[in-house]
Amino acid sequence: MRTPTPTPATPSRRLALGVLAAGLLMTILDGSIVTVAMPAIQSDLGFTPAGLSWVVNAYLIAFGALLLLAGRLGDLIGRRKMFLAGTALFTAASLLAGAADSPGVLVAARFLQGAGSAMASAVGLGILVTLFTEERERARAIAVFSFTGAAGASLGQVLGGVLTDALAWNWIFLINLPIGVATLLTALRALPADRGLGLRAGADVSGALLVTSGLTAGIYAVVTIEEYGAGSAHTLGFGALSAALLAGFLLRQAKAAHPLMPLRILRSRSVAGANAVQMLMVAALFSFQILVALYLQKVLGYGASATGFAMLPAALVIGAVSLGASARLIARFGERNVLLTGIVLLVGVLGLLTRVPVHASYATDLLPVMLLAAGFGLALPALTSFAMAGAEESDAGLASGLFNTTQQIGMALGVAVLSTLAAARTESLAGAGRPAAEALTGGYHLAFGVGTGLLLAALAVAALVLRNPATRRPEPRPEPRAEPRAGAELTAP
């Protein structure tokens, strides 16, 4: 039986939204907060240069590979149970990471953190859309959720720099403990209980093994491109293995009596289109998050804290737009128009970065870029609405997991491919005798140019494929009474 929807004024729903946002914030912060602490971690634990990358890669592989499975399991066993279990695992793994005294322990802890993050974040949107069913309320809730994801990465870099400089790298993980415990205790009271469909409705063990191993092989191939090369036997071999496993998964889903991922979800134009747009958009914009930070530190000489604060305006404008304007704009102009406008602004972000000079002025060369990042505050809430609008309530966890999966794949592809292109271009320019700063900047210019092309492709897909969700309805108006009083007139609404 479906749980009754609370009334719009129910405080527990606002508390539940806060819990879901806090869970997402921990996940996003943990993905970015570690980047500025990498040199300190390498020095303290003795990581090799190649081994250090696994502090990030272990998290990405576990997170990206398990999202789809976790989302479907949330539909089957209950999304609340999945969220609680994931948050508990993430919090415990954070303690292990903070106490790590060797590279092996830290990498294992990061893998467990990724698994816990996948379990919690995969069902977050699914819980949200079943809590907020009225259109305007859902738009506002999605705006809050989207802001947490969009701005969290920038906030993570600020927090990571401050904690690393003021205390030690361990605290970037230990800070998760009080947040995780508070989230768990609040979630027990605020999140509605749901029984799920039951394992018999989709306990596809073979499908789960195929999709998890396929995504693991694929993400592993992508995140190691910089180490082995795009055309290496290692990369091509794992890429082919991933493609074969995922093809087998799709064949299995077409024939299974109880599929893990019913293929009907991909027949939705909104779901398929939104996930395609997100993959292109995130692949392009993760270069902004990573490569701009590298440019600030390696070319302009910023420190860890200064880099975080330099990128803070991007987080602030994303928050102001997503929380203050996106829901109203979507209600007035529709998801499609808001999404297209947001992507156009983001094209301006990377377009400007293709011309950033070696000796840049923050006020004139970089601050305009940070302010145009407001486009993310428009695009992501609209895109999230598309991704969830085409799914049935019984598939909400699966749709949430799929949306998060394409986000992680887009991030991994963006970082691996654009970083590799930038490094190759930098090496070429350095070999031609260019100064180090000029060679680095030239590499970043190429990556930003390719990112601009990816955003233009996302714009084309959004314009051609997506239409405003069919669930949109005009504002209700009072109907005339069936038996008016004598002498009264009925006016047209």
Side-chain angles (χ1 to χ4, degrees):
M1 181 179 295
R2 183 177 173 179
T3 303
T5 302
T7 60
T10 303
S12 62
R13 283 200 304 162
R14 293 193 292 270
L15 188 59
L17 177 59
V19 167
L20 297 175
L24 177 63
L25 183 63
M26 284 198 303
T27 297
I28 298 298
L29 285 177
D30 207 70
S32 63
I33 198 172
V34 72
T35 57
V36 296
M38 297 284 269
I41 292 173
Q42 183 178 18
S43 175
D44 195 17
L45 296 185
F47 273 97
T48 64
L52 184 64
S53 66
W54 284 98
V55 177
V56 174
N57 292 345
Y59 183 88
L60 285 177
I61 289 173
F63 190 21
L66 294 174
L67 277 165
L68 193 60
L69 175 60
R72 187 54 177 169
L73 286 177
D75 289 332
L76 300 178
I77 68 174
R79 297 174 197 129
R80 180 177 181 267
K81 292 179 183 176
M82 183 61 68
F83 181 87
L84 292 172
T87 303
L89 176 59
F90 176 84
T91 305
S94 296
L95 176 60
L96 179 62
D101 58 358
S102 69
V105 172
L106 182 57
V107 170
R110 291 288 287 163
F111 187 90
L112 292 175
Q113 278 189 310
S117 293
M119 294 165 65
S121 61
V123 295
L125 276 173
I127 297 173
L128 184 149
V129 297
T130 54
L131 276 174
F132 297 89
T133 55
E134 194 273 324
E135 185 180 335
R136 287 182 179 272
E137 282 199 326
R138 177 179 291 187
R140 286 192 290 268
I142 286 177
V144 172
F145 199 75
S146 299
F147 158 71
T148 306
S154 296
L155 294 174
Q157 290 190 320
V158 176
L159 187 59
V162 171
L163 288 174
T164 302
D165 287 346
L167 298 172
W169 65 264
N170 312 72
W171 284 94
I172 67 174
F173 301 117
L174 296 177
I175 196 173
N176 291 325
L177 299 183
I179 300 174
V181 170
T183 300
L184 276 172
L185 294 176
T186 309
L188 285 169
R189 183 165 63 92
L191 294 185
D194 58 317
R195 300 181 59 182
L197 302 174
L199 290 176
R200 292 183 179 180
D204 181 13
V205 177
S206 298
L209 291 174
L210 284 169
V211 71
T212 303
S213 56
L215 288 172
T216 299
I219 295 172
Y220 174 73
V222 168
V223 300
T224 55
I225 283 177
E226 191 170 357
E227 181 179 353
Y228 291 97
S232 67
H234 176 278
T235 300
L236 296 177
F238 275 99
L241 176 62
S242 173
L245 290 169
L246 293 177
F249 167 71
L250 292 176
L251 289 174
R252 168 70 183 172
Q253 300 315 286
K255 298 178 180 180
H258 302 292
L260 177 70
M261 187 185 81
L263 295 183
R264 64 177 180 269
I265 196 171
L266 297 179
R267 299 190 190 109
S268 166
R269 186 169 182 159
S270 291
V271 172
N275 280 280
V277 170
Q278 176 177 235
M279 188 177 295
L280 291 166
M281 191 173 77
V282 170
L285 291 175
F286 211 62
S287 70
F288 167 78
Q289 192 67 44
I290 298 297
L291 296 183
V292 169
L294 291 174
Y295 168 78
L296 289 170
Q297 294 184 60
K298 292 188 175 183
V299 177
L300 300 186
Y302 284 36
S305 298
T307 298
F309 282 110
M311 299 186 72
L312 185 58
L316 296 177
V317 295
I318 290 170
V321 171
S322 60
L323 296 177
S326 64
R328 291 196 297 272
L329 291 173
I330 287 172
R332 181 170 182 180
F333 299 107
E335 286 87 346
R336 183 174 181 270
N337 289 332
V338 173
L339 173 61
L340 295 177
T341 302
I343 296 176
V344 168
L345 291 176
L346 294 174
V347 169
V349 169
L350 294 191
L352 287 176
L353 286 172
T354 61
R355 302 174 60 85
V356 70
V358 175
H359 302 290
S361 164
Y362 182 81
T364 58
D365 295 314
L366 292 171
L367 185 57
V369 170
M370 302 298 169
L371 297 179
L372 283 175
F376 207 46
L378 292 176
L380 191 57
L383 198 58
T384 305
S385 295
F386 275 116
M388 300 304 296
E392 300 292 335
E393 183 175 338
S394 59
D395 293 331
L398 173 61
S400 174
L402 179 63
F403 192 65
N404 281 288
T405 299
T406 57
Q407 184 180 85
Q408 291 304 308
I409 292 173
M411 287 181 180
L413 284 170
V415 171
V417 175
L418 297 181
S419 296
T420 300
L421 289 174
R425 177 63 173 164
T426 296
E427 185 178 352
S428 174
L429 292 173
R434 300 286 184 87
E438 187 178 334
L440 283 168
T441 304
Y444 298 146
H445 283 170
L446 174 61
F448 292 136
V450 174
T452 303
L454 292 174
L455 283 175
L456 290 172
L459 183 66
V461 173
L464 294 173
V465 175
L466 295 177
R467 299 290 181 269
N468 287 329
T471 55
R472 180 170 294 281
R473 296 285 185 270
E475 288 296 314
R477 300 182 181 182
E479 297 183 0
R481 296 182 181 180
E483 297 181 1
R485 293 173 297 171
E489 295 182 359
L490 292 179
T491 58

